[in-house]
Amino acid sequence: PPAPLQRPPSLCILADSKEISSGAEVISCLKALHGMKVQVCSLGSGDYVVSNRLAVERMFLSELLSPASRTKVTQRIQCLQSTFERVCVIVEKDRAKAGETSRICQRTQCCDGVLAALLQAGVRILFSSCQEESAALLKDLALLEQRKNAAICVPTEVEGHKREVLNFYLTIPNLSYPAALNLCHHFGSLKELTNSSPVEIAAGAQVSMQKAEQIFHYLHYGFDLHMLP
Amino acid sequence: PVTAGSIVVPYGHAIGNEKWRGSEMAQRLQGKIRLIFEDGLGLVDFHLSSRTCILYISEADLVAGDEFKRRLVRFRNASSLRGIVIVEKTQISNQYFMAVQKLVALELGMVLLPVSNQGEASQLITQLVSFCVRELSRERSSNPFLRKRCPQPAEAAVVRTVQQIPGVGKTKALLLLQRFGSIHQLCNASVKELELVVGQTAAQQIHRF
């Protein structure tokens, strides 16, 4: 058992590298205001990962309102759904540009349609009016996930050989970044992982049994040169 | 009184609480969906299907104080229905929104959707009803977020994965996979076996990895 006086480790959130430019205030609020550890990495899909199973996509209200961006929104969410057990969307109000008087935002049928579809698919939706509020929501989500024992507990910075192994794991289809990190820290070598059963993989990567079986099948997948495109 | 049990909602209908009769929302809804009014729905404002219902919080409720919170908690404790909370987010009630969202979405685990007036709410409810109808009619595939993506052949991905091993490019990756068949077998290969496919240096690099 851990020493009783030990301070709980500060909560960790993974942020995608593109958020450095588009969500700088979110990241600085998380660090300065809420005292969280923010690790910037290339997530591929999703903007933030707050636990082993929950990914958060930050989306602007304007994207939701216009039918033109509907396919793009759909693709982004589908991609997350195939990788993460739980998906949450934070709908953020667009920042008013300088010199712009408050735009009249007409709520569109498209917007309601997307919302209804997301709800039916079990995607959690939160609303925020600025980057600061988005940061507060991310912190609350991370706390909630920590209470449910899903927080990211392994070191998020890896270097040298471990980095190479992590990159190897990240190419496994539909494997989330935290799951790859967990694999990296849990298994001493690649050989150990490939000789593990799905049950051991599920425990090591902190993923569902179904996902573990997918990984297991991928590692044992019989390669056929003729199937290459 | 709390009605906690599910109510049978006829196909393509919605059941509204008697108190909404004659309201702006009811009038707007009636053109688009078939709305039936019923007494004694208790805490619920609208039933969209036998599993989904709506609790409406008006601007006045928000300003008036904590009564609506008690109502939500009572609903959550009494019922296993999927509750969607629609809240009027206006210039006046905006200041309360974040706190309400924290309670409803994060603590109670229910769905919260803001609207700015009853007109918007009716449009939103119309969309929700149409999705409930589709769910019943097994047209689930019309929802892009529920559609299963067709599985892609793993070959290309496997090659990309093997290429992550230091010293292995596309050519060596293909040679290795042709010889060993899977990542599992590749990882269990001895240096000797690897040397037969790639050079000595690369074989040792792979084995060390």
Side-chain angles (χ1 to χ4, degrees):
Chain A
L5 280 174
Q6 205 178 7
R7 256 185 72 233
S10 66
L11 271 175
C12 180
I13 284 187
L14 307 177
D16 188 63
S17 36
K18 71 174 180 292
E19 286 292 299
I20 294 176
S21 56
S22 64
E25 213 184 310
V26 178
I27 295 180
S28 57
C29 274
L30 282 173
K31 281 184 183 166
L33 231 59
H34 305 298
M36 302 186 72
K37 188 165 168 273
V38 181
Q39 173 75 42
V40 177
C41 46
S42 154
L43 292 175
S45 64
D47 296 327
Y48 295 93
V49 175
V50 297
S51 75
N52 283 325
R53 52 183 191 179
L54 177 67
V56 179
E57 179 84 20
R58 222 174 110 236
M59 201 176 278
F60 287 114
L61 190 58
S62 59
E63 290 178 277
L64 211 56
L65 285 171
S66 95
S69 53
R70 191 171 186 162
T71 3
K72 228 172 93 189
V73 168
T74 314
Q75 278 170 355
R76 273 156 66 188
I77 302 296
Q78 277 177 341
C79 192
L80 281 180
Q81 280 178 317
S82 56
T83 312
F84 286 89
E85 268 175 72
R86 296 177 184 212
V87 179
C88 173
V89 173
I90 294 185
V91 180
E92 194 176 289
K93 219 167 110 186
D94 299 65
R95 216 185 314 182
K97 295 185 186 94
E100 197 179 37
T101 48
S102 69
R103 232 178 320 178
I104 307 146
C105 270
Q106 189 76 54
R107 194 177 181 119
T108 58
Q109 206 172 345
C110 164
C111 167
D112 289 331
V114 175
L115 285 181
L118 284 172
L119 284 184
Q120 200 194 17
V123 175
R124 195 195 281 247
I125 306 171
L126 298 172
F127 296 86
S128 109
S129 61
C130 59
Q131 296 203 6
E132 211 181 312
E133 281 186 4
S134 297
L137 289 175
L138 283 169
K139 182 208 71 177
D140 287 337
L141 283 172
L143 277 173
L144 203 65
E145 287 290 288
Q146 189 189 38
R147 276 207 296 276
K148 293 178 184 165
N149 287 325
I152 302 168
C153 300
V154 291
T156 50
E157 272 167 274
V158 285
E159 265 157 28
H161 179 64
K162 274 235 161 103
R163 179 86 237 170
E164 287 167 349
V165 177
L166 179 65
N167 285 338
F168 181 89
Y169 291 148
L170 285 173
T171 57
I172 299 176
N174 298 338
L175 189 72
S176 66
Y177 200 95
L181 274 176
N182 288 332
L183 282 179
C184 208
H185 290 289
H186 187 268
F187 291 98
S189 72
L190 204 58
K191 195 171 166 181
E192 197 185 323
L193 168 66
T194 54
N195 291 327
S196 301
S197 69
V199 180
E200 289 162 331
I201 296 178
Q206 301 274 314
V207 292
S208 66
M209 202 49 211
Q210 199 193 359
K211 183 65 83 185
E213 264 159 23
Q214 275 176 27
I215 300 172
F216 182 82
H217 283 301
Y218 182 75
L219 294 173
H220 288 254
Y221 187 81
F223 182 77
D224 182 356
L225 188 64
H226 303 290
M227 290 291 284
L228 264 185
Chain B
V2 190
T3 42
S6 64
I7 279 187
V8 181
V9 182
Y11 189 78
H13 287 60
I15 297 178
N17 196 316
E18 185 63 35
K19 70 181 181 200
W20 284 95
R21 195 187 282 278
S23 64
E24 185 201 345
M25 173 128 77
Q27 280 168 9
R28 282 168 176 262
L29 279 174
Q30 256 150 355
K32 299 191 180 106
I33 56 173
R34 273 159 287 184
L35 190 60
I36 306 167
F37 289 104
E38 236 174 64
D39 246 345
L41 289 192
L43 300 169
V44 176
D45 289 306
F46 296 94
H47 280 278
L48 304 188
S49 72
S50 38
R51 290 198 309 121
T52 315
C53 59
I54 284 185
L55 291 99
Y56 194 86
I57 300 174
S58 68
E59 182 187 52
D61 290 334
L62 279 175
V63 177
D66 289 345
E67 184 50 40
F68 76 93
K69 290 183 190 163
R70 274 185 283 266
R71 178 173 152 222
L72 293 178
V73 173
R74 259 162 61 203
F75 169 81
R76 191 74 180 89
N77 291 339
S79 153
S80 59
L81 293 180
R82 213 164 71 100
I84 298 175
V85 179
I86 296 185
V87 59
E88 273 181 21
K89 185 181 182 226
T90 61
Q91 278 184 327
I92 299 169
S93 64
N94 197 14
Q95 51 179 317
Y96 307 106
F97 180 75
M98 281 310 273
V100 173
Q101 174 161 265
K102 195 169 173 184
L103 172 77
V104 173
L106 298 176
E107 282 162 32
L108 297 179
M110 291 160 78
V111 176
L112 179 78
L113 297 170
V115 294
S116 60
N117 52 46
Q118 290 193 13
E120 278 192 8
S122 72
Q123 191 184 316
L124 179 60
I125 291 176
T126 312
Q127 286 290 328
L128 290 170
V129 169
S130 97
F131 268 93
C132 285
V133 169
R134 285 189 223 171
E135 187 170 36
L136 285 175
S137 61
R138 310 231 169 264
E139 258 183 74
R140 290 171 67 89
S141 56
S142 63
N143 184 341
F145 304 114
L146 286 173
R147 212 179 293 150
K148 267 261 180 270
R149 290 208 291 180
C150 49
Q152 284 153 354
E155 260 74 18
V158 172
V159 175
R160 229 178 317 122
T161 304
V162 174
Q163 272 178 263
Q164 293 298 320
I165 301 173
V168 178
K170 182 136 195 193
T171 322
K172 277 183 192 156
L174 286 174
L175 283 172
L176 286 168
L177 282 167
Q178 265 180 296
R179 167 69 183 80
F180 296 104
S182 72
I183 297 176
H184 171 242
Q185 277 168 359
L186 174 60
C187 289
N188 285 300
S190 67
V191 185
K192 275 243 170 65
E193 286 173 301
L194 289 167
E195 267 178 22
L196 292 174
V197 187
V198 293
Q200 207 172 13
T201 343
Q204 267 162 9
Q205 255 182 327
I206 296 166
H207 192 74
R208 236 180 295 134
F209 188 77

